[in-house]
C-alpha cells in the first residue's frame, strides 16, 4: 500500500509544483504585458492640444459639460502618466481628445443653428416687406 503525503504525488514530487509554475508563468506574462505598454507621449500631446484648442469662450459657453469632461479626462490621464499607468493614461488621453472634439462640434452646431434661425428671420422680414410694398 502506497501512502501519499498531502502535497506530494506518487513519486514524492510536489503536486503543487506544476500549479506553482503555471501561476508564475501567468503572472510574469501579465507583468510583462503591463511593462510593455509604451508611454503614450504622442497621444497625450494630441489630447492636450485638442483640449487647449477647444478651451475658447465660445466653446465653453456652447458646450460647457463636454469641455469640462475633456479637461477632467486630460487631468486624469496626466495623473495616470505620473503613476506610470501608461495603458490607462493612453485610454484617458484618447477619450479627452474625443470629448474635446465633441465640444467643438457641439459649439459649431449651435453656431450653425443660430445662423439658420437668423437667416430664417431675415427671410421672413424681407418677405413681409415685399408683401407690404406689393399691397400698396
Amino acid at each position: 500500500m502506497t501512502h501519499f503525503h498531502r502535497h506530494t504525488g506518487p513519486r514524492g514530487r510536489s503536486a503543487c509544483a506544476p500549479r506553482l509554475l503555471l501561476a508564475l508563468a501567468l503572472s510574469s506574462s501579465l507583468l510583462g504585458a503591463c511593462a510593455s505598454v509604451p508611454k503614450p507621449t504622442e497621444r497625450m500631446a494630441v489630447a492636450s492640444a485638442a483640449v487647449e484648442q477647444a478651451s475658447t469662450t465660445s466653446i465653453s459657453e456652447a458646450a460647457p459639460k463636454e469641455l469640462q469632461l475633456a479637461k477632467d479626462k486630460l487631468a486624469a490621464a496626466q495623473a495616470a502618466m505620473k503613476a506610470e499607468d501608461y495603458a490607462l493614461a493612453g485610454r484617458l488621453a484618447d477619450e479627452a481628445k474625443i470629448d474635446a472634439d465633441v465640444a467643438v462640434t457641439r459649439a459649431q452646431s449651435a453656431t450653425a443653428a443660430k445662423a439658420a434661425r437668423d437667416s430664417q428671420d431675415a427671410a421672413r422680414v424681407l418677405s413681409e416687406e415685399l408683401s407690404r410694398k406689393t399691397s400698396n
Side-chain angles (χ1 to χ4, degrees), residues 38-42 44 75-90 93:
K39 282 186 179 182
T41 308
E42 184 177 329
M44 291 292 293
Q78 291 165 339
M81 279 289 281
K82 286 181 184 173
E84 297 181 5
D85 188 346
Y86 301 137
L88 178 61

Side-chain angles (χ1 to χ4, degrees), residues 36-56:
S36 68
V37 174
K39 282 186 179 182
T41 308
E42 184 177 329
R43 292 160 69 189
M44 291 292 293
V46 168
S48 183
V51 170
E52 185 177 326
Q53 287 176 344
S55 297
T56 64

Side-chain angles (χ1 to χ4, degrees), residues 26-107:
L26 286 174
S27 64
S28 67
S29 68
L30 288 174
L31 288 174
C34 292
S36 68
V37 174
K39 282 186 179 182
T41 308
E42 184 177 329
R43 292 160 69 189
M44 291 292 293
V46 168
S48 183
V51 170
E52 185 177 326
Q53 287 176 344
S55 297
T56 64
T57 302
S58 62
I59 293 174
S60 65
E61 289 174 357
K65 291 178 185 175
E66 293 83 355
L67 183 57
Q68 189 58 52
L69 189 59
K71 288 178 178 182
D72 291 346
K73 285 186 181 173
L74 181 60
Q78 291 165 339
M81 279 289 281
K82 286 181 184 173
E84 297 181 5
D85 188 346
Y86 301 137
L88 178 61
R91 183 177 57 80
L92 289 169
D94 293 343
E95 290 179 16
K97 185 203 180 301
I98 291 167
D99 291 332
D101 291 346
V102 168
V104 170
T105 302
R106 173 106 6 135

Side-chain angles (χ1 to χ4, degrees), residues 111-124:
T111 301
K114 183 184 180 321
R117 283 190 306 274
D118 291 347
S119 181
Q120 288 173 341
D121 290 345
R124 184 183 42 76

